[in-house]
Structure formats: C-alpha cells, structure tokens
Amino acid sequence: MSERQPRLMRADFRVFRAIPTRWHDNDAYGHVNNVVYYGWFDTAVNVWLIENGFLDLSGSEIVGLVAETGCTYFESVAFPETVEAGIAVERLGNSSVTYRIGIFRQGGEQAAAQGRFTHVYVARASQKPVPIPAPLRAALERLAV
C-alpha cells in the first residue's frame, strides 16, 4: 500500500474555479459521491483550457486525452456547498501534462480532496501523440509548481 500524500494548501495551486454542488451529487451517505470529484477535475482543467483559447470542443485538431487520474479524500463535502477547484501543473512533458487538482470548501485553506489528472496531447484525427503546442506550453509553464 502506498503512503498517503500530505494534505495540500491553497498556496499549492495557481488558478481556482468555483463549482456549485448539485442535489444529485450527494450519495446515500449524505455527501458528494467520489465519482463527482473526477468530473470536477475534468471541469476545472477543461474550462481553463477553453477560457484561455486552447480548446475548441468541436474544432481543435490537437486535444488532450486523459491518461491517468487519481484522488485522495480528506473530508466530505455535500450539497448545497460550493467548492473551489484549484489547479497547478506538476509535470510538463513533450506531449503530456500532469495537473495537480485540489478541491476546497469555499474559502478553506486545506484541500478537502486532492488529486492528479494527466492529459496526453494527440492529433484528433489519428489519436497519435503530438508535442504540446508552444502557446499552450508557455501557459502551462505559468501554472507550474
């Protein structure tokens, strides 16, 4: 069994996005189900890409596909809370990027959950890995920790 990761702080992230929880996010135990966190990871990263002009859902010739993801949970959140998803870049390769993602209670200093999310960039048509385009690489470098 691997050693549990240390709990990250708000300062360990570069960009934040508020995400409201929804009624159906809660499970039978009264807290947000674990699978929802992975949707938040995807949302935080992809909204950042879209807002910064690096992803056109229907037209981008180069897209990032998820190759790996994981999450460690520290405390429960539940509807109707709004969470804040923090992102930073942990590793930047030739064709891949690994994001650090933190889920915070609104205004919280410690992550309620944290994880990793790796995109491998591919040509949409061939699905073959390609180098990360230079403008995107420069923006990702600004998110690096």
Side-chain angles (χ1 to χ4, degrees), residues 95-119:
S95 63
S96 68
V97 56
T98 299
Y99 297 93
R100 168 189 293 172
I101 312 288
I103 302 299
F104 293 82
R105 289 194 130 103
Q106 201 163 34
E109 282 302 313
Q110 291 186 308
Q114 64 197 42
R116 303 165 41 105
F117 186 96
T118 300
H119 267 158

